[in-house]
Amino acid sequence: MAPVEFVPLAPFTSFGVESTARYFSSFKDSLELEELLDWGLQYSLLILGGGSNLLLTRDFDGLVLKNEISGIIELHEDNEYVYVKAGAGENWHRFVLYCIERNWAGLENLSLIPGSVGASPMQNIGAYGVEVEDLFWDLEAWHIGEKRIVTFTNNDCRFGYRESVFKHKYKGQFVILNVTFRLRKQPRFNTSYGAIEQELEKMGVKELSIKAISDAVIRIRSSKLPDPKLMGNAGSFFKNPSVNKEQYDRLHDQFPDVVAYPNADGTYKLAAGWLIEHAGPAAGISWKGFRRGDAGCHERQALVLVNFGKATGSEIYQLSEDILQSVNNKFGVLLEREVNIV
Ligand SMILES: Cc1cc2nc3c(=O)[nH]c(=O)nc-3n(C[C@H](O)[C@H](O)[C@H](O)COP(=O)(O)OP(=O)(O)OC[C@H]3O[C@@H](n4cnc5c(N)ncnc54)[C@H](O)[C@@H]3O)c2cc1C
């Protein structure tokens, strides 16, 4: 099938900024994908999932391919685990709910993260003390250059904090087709992170279950994060930066309230939200709730950059650049963007 020309991309990304794809098509399996890649050999390529971790700063003068590979299959099970394979185009949250309904445990803390199953290993999505790598078994991906399917095990993906080989070593080389997860038949509840326990208490939960944890996470997330349908955003715009012990001690001496968590390797992970909130565009002004035109930072979470209506991708990008500079000037810490910039 021939791709469509000049397609507006605003409805396909959670920031909702204007951008036009020179060519656009969706694909439902690896055969369709292969045909489209052959067709568009000479064009630059953008693979799109749910568009919830993407900032488009210009028109895309190439081929945009939206992954719509669907299907969820229970592959096999053993005494402890069930192995579940999901098409990369499946909606992540719907997949999580599908597993919870069947009492397959592990994904409940990752409820309500927007986007597709296929993008989940890209940045090893994580929330409330759980990361995709904890449940990931393997994935199949299309090698664009070699025109063949390659399997990646957990080890092959080299997962890290919001990292995988697909963001660096193999950037732009693979299209993820499906992901298999290894889920527990007997749950191991993880409620120690964030406000899950308080929320469960508020909900009056007497008997803990993966459904109750999922509901608690959904309630917390809905109260904290702007709904992209109502206000364009891509969740956390920056990663939480890690610093070594000396840097942390120096920062802590100067700013005793700095929010940080020790990493297993002796470094400290700083809360990017705190750093941004305590820096600002000028003395006495915080980034939290800041607005310039239609680009800004959310009023409850400075780490979430938002499109109040008609902001362009480059306006949001420029704001992120100014935030980055101000944090570096005040704290000597260089933030790294989590959102993919195109
Ligand atoms: C309100 C909100 C809250 C969020 N909260 C969290 C959170 O708690 N934790 C977290 O980790 N993230 C969070 N995110 C970020 C986002 O939801 C995840 O990164 C998600 O996995 C992105 O999925 P997507 O399908 O929308 O990817 P897209 O935005 O479509 O794509 C992201 C990148 O992956 C590439 N890509 C997508 N699919 C494929 C594929 N099949 N094969 C190869 N490359 C592909 C794209 O080219 C792009 O570079 C949040 C976002 C929002 C809007």
Side-chain angles (χ1 to χ4, degrees), residues 97-112:
L97 295 182
Y98 180 97
C99 296
I100 290 169
E101 266 168 35
R102 282 154 187 80
N103 232 359
W104 299 336
L107 297 171
E108 53 280 1
N109 292 43
L110 301 178
S111 297
L112 210 61

Side-chain angles (χ1 to χ4, degrees), residues 20 33 40 71 73 132 140 165 200 240 245 254 267 297 303 335:
T20 302
L33 172 66
I73 313 166
V132 144
E140 287 185 317
V165 278
L200 288 165
N240 291 318
K245 170 111 175 67
Q254 226 184 327
T267 61
C297 295
L303 184 55
L335 293 178

Side-chain angles (χ1 to χ4, degrees), residues 47 49-53 67 114-116 119 123 125-126 162 176 221 233 235:
I47 302 296
S52 64
N53 202 17
N67 193 324
S116 60
Q123 71 154 8
I125 58 168
R162 302 295 177 273
I176 295 170
R221 291 184 70 99
N233 76 91

Side-chain angles (χ1 to χ4, degrees), residues 188-202:
R188 280 199 193 156
F189 302 124
N190 183 346
T191 60
S192 57
Y193 204 92
I196 297 185
E197 264 162 24
Q198 291 98 296
E199 197 62 40
L200 288 165
E201 220 174 284
K202 266 198 244 163

Side-chain angles (χ1 to χ4, degrees), residues 203-224:
M203 287 159 58
V205 170
K206 299 275 176 292
E207 200 179 325
L208 203 51
S209 65
I210 57 173
K211 169 82 168 64
I213 293 178
S214 169
D215 287 345
V217 168
I218 291 171
R219 285 166 59 122
I220 300 167
R221 291 184 70 99
S222 307
S223 70
K224 269 179 48 179

Side-chain angles (χ1 to χ4, degrees), residues 37-291:
L37 291 172
D38 284 346
W39 180 93
L41 217 52
Q42 70 274 37
Y43 299 112
S44 45
L45 179 68
L46 174 63
I47 302 296
L48 201 59
S52 64
N53 202 17
L54 208 55
L55 178 64
L56 301 170
T57 57
R58 57 185 164 86
D59 289 336
F60 192 75
D61 189 22
L63 176 62
V64 176
L65 294 180
K66 179 159 166 49
N67 193 324
E68 287 185 355
I69 301 176
S70 62
I72 302 176
I73 313 166
E74 182 185 345
L75 290 180
H76 57 97
E77 57 182 279
D78 53 31
N79 288 343
E80 259 184 281
Y81 300 104
V82 50
Y83 296 75
V84 188
K85 177 169 160 176
E90 287 287 342
N91 174 275
W92 174 261
H93 181 56
R94 275 203 295 273
F95 171 62
V96 171
L97 295 182
Y98 180 97
C99 296
I100 290 169
E101 266 168 35
R102 282 154 187 80
N103 232 359
W104 299 336
L107 297 171
E108 53 280 1
N109 292 43
L110 301 178
S111 297
L112 210 61
I113 296 182
S116 60
V117 165
S120 66
M122 291 292 298
Q123 71 154 8
N124 185 21
I125 58 168
Y128 297 96
V130 176
E131 289 179 307
V132 144
E133 67 169 308
D134 303 328
L135 295 318
F136 177 96
W137 185 248
D138 66 14
L139 65 76
E140 287 185 317
W142 183 258
H143 193 308
I144 297 172
E146 295 177 5
K147 293 187 175 200
R148 65 186 179 95
I149 293 175
V150 179
T151 301
F152 286 80
T153 63
N154 196 313
N155 225 6
D156 297 333
C157 292
R158 300 257 173 267
F159 289 122
Y161 164 62
R162 302 295 177 273
E163 289 295 348
S164 75
V165 278
F166 302 105
K167 282 188 83 172
H168 299 286
K169 187 174 172 195
Y170 295 136
K171 194 176 161 75
Q173 295 184 38
F174 287 92
V175 181
I176 295 170
L177 302 171
N178 58 64
V179 186
T180 298
F181 298 88
R182 190 179 72 159
L183 304 175
R184 285 189 179 280
K185 290 159 101 175
Q186 290 302 320
R188 280 199 193 156
F189 302 124
N190 183 346
T191 60
S192 57
Y193 204 92
I196 297 185
E197 264 162 24
Q198 291 98 296
E199 197 62 40
L200 288 165
E201 220 174 284
K202 266 198 244 163
M203 287 159 58
V205 170
K206 299 275 176 292
E207 200 179 325
L208 203 51
S209 65
I210 57 173
K211 169 82 168 64
I213 293 178
S214 169
D215 287 345
V217 168
I218 291 171
R219 285 166 59 122
I220 300 167
R221 291 184 70 99
S222 307
S223 70
K224 269 179 48 179
L225 289 166
D227 179 347
K229 286 193 204 95
L230 305 176
M231 187 186 282
N233 76 91
S236 303
F237 200 91
F238 299 98
K239 292 163 69 166
N240 291 318
S242 282
V243 294
N244 63 31
K245 170 111 175 67
E246 292 76 58
Q247 281 172 293
Y248 169 72
D249 286 344
R250 217 172 329 115
L251 265 174
H252 189 256
D253 284 346
Q254 226 184 327
F255 307 98
D257 296 339
V258 64
V259 177
Y261 309 92
N263 290 318
D265 64 0
T267 61
Y268 285 79
K269 191 179 276 179
L270 306 173
W274 188 92
L275 296 172
I276 296 170
E277 199 178 323
H278 291 82
I285 305 175
S286 167
W287 287 117
K288 196 171 176 179
F290 178 83
R291 178 168 181 166

